[in-house]
């Protein structure tokens, strides 16, 4: 393969078009390009109603959770039948932590064209994402106290 310095202008343009197309495809179906490690695959395939991940730091718990929420929300889970509409709670230690972690990763896996509306708490911190299929992803914080988690049929 020749280096980019040796490519003609037309070849460079073609490569840029291919890269643009790859990025467009990733945005339209981001879960298709998700890469899971063996433990994430095991958790994803598990049939248990409640799945708890007791893993160390920086090993993929938030990433797995974002992928899992996106699959449920878009009704494309490989191993579970999912029928919208329904609500999903995405919970973080604080709303400030949410913006840079859970929220950021979740938005990576939700197809842009699936989102109908985003409500914000303040600034760029999301309160709720409503999808076109009627699914609501509601962000909550442990800081809100247990009362905010009572009574809802989620």
């Amino acid at each position: 393969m020749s280096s980019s310095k040796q490519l003609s202008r037309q070849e460079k343009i073609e490569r840029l078009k291919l890269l643009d197309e790859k990025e467009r495809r990733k945005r339209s179906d981001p879960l298709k390009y998700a890469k899971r490690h063996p433990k994430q695959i095991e958790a994803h395939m598990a049939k248990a109603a409640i799945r708890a991940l007791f893993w160390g730091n920086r090993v993929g718990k938030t990433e797995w959770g974002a992928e899992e929420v996106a699959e449920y929300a878009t009704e494309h889970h490989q191993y579970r039948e999912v029928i919208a509409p329904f609500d999903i709670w995405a919970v973080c230690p604080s709303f400030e932590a949410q913006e840079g972690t859970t929220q950021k990763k979740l938005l990576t896996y939700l197809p842009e064209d699936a989102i109908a509306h985003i409500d914000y708490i303040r600034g760029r911190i999301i309160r709720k994402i409503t999808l076109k299929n009627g699914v609501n992803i509601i962000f909550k914080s442990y800081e809100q106290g247990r009362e905010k988690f009572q009574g809802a049929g989620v």
Side-chain angles (χ1 to χ4, degrees), residues 10-21:
Q10 187 59 36
E11 289 171 321
K12 289 177 183 177
I13 290 170
E14 287 301 314
R15 284 198 179 177
L16 288 172
K17 285 180 182 177
L18 289 171
L19 288 171
D20 285 346
E21 176 61 16

Side-chain angles (χ1 to χ4, degrees), residues 67-96:
E67 292 170 14
E68 197 74 3
V69 167
E71 285 193 11
Y72 270 90
T74 58
E75 302 174 271
H76 291 108
H77 199 286
Q78 279 180 285
Y79 301 101
R80 295 170 186 261
E81 183 179 350
V82 184
I83 302 169
F86 51 85
D87 292 341
I88 297 172
W89 285 357
V91 183
C92 296
S94 70
F95 285 120
E96 285 70 25

